[in-house]
Amino acid sequence: GAFLNGEPIRATKGVPLTSAMLVNNVGAGREAPFVDVSMECARAAFMAKCHAVRMTGSAAVNMCHSACGRVDAYWELLVGGPWDLAAGVGILNE
């Protein structure tokens, strides 16, 4: 298992959407249709009355925050490349 400061980490489970902290990145695409879809996904999360949506800019950090329960869910439509995933996938595999 994965640890943070000597303590095992755990993702959250069963958090109601109205209490959920979500994290997202727009992704690597900058074409208008892609950005429109990304923003519509974020809008849908807001309209579903989730507690909060954050956009941090790092896929690896977002995956780690999700794995240790700092956020309840993470999504991204187009990750830039393997460098964006490598560290986060290592943590999630634990």
Side-chain angles (χ1 to χ4, degrees):
F3 292 81
L4 173 64
N5 296 327
E7 299 292 326
I9 63 171
R10 299 279 181 261
T12 59
K13 292 182 182 177
V15 175
L17 187 59
T18 55
S19 299
M21 170 81 73
L22 310 179
V23 67
N24 167 254
N25 288 333
V26 172
R30 293 296 179 259
E31 298 78 21
F34 175 79
V35 172
D36 289 345
V37 169
S38 292
M39 291 296 99
E40 183 55 33
C41 289
R43 182 182 185 282
F46 284 120
M47 297 307 291
K49 299 188 179 0
C50 68
H51 178 70
V53 175
R54 301 285 187 258
M55 293 184 181
T56 65
S58 170
V61 169
N62 289 339
M63 284 186 276
C64 290
H65 284 182
S66 182
C68 71
R70 289 182 179 159
V71 300
D72 301 301
Y74 161 61
W75 85 94
E76 184 169 348
L77 299 179
L78 180 63
V79 176
W83 52 87
D84 285 330
L85 296 175
V89 169
I91 293 293
L92 293 175
N93 281 334
E94 288 295 318

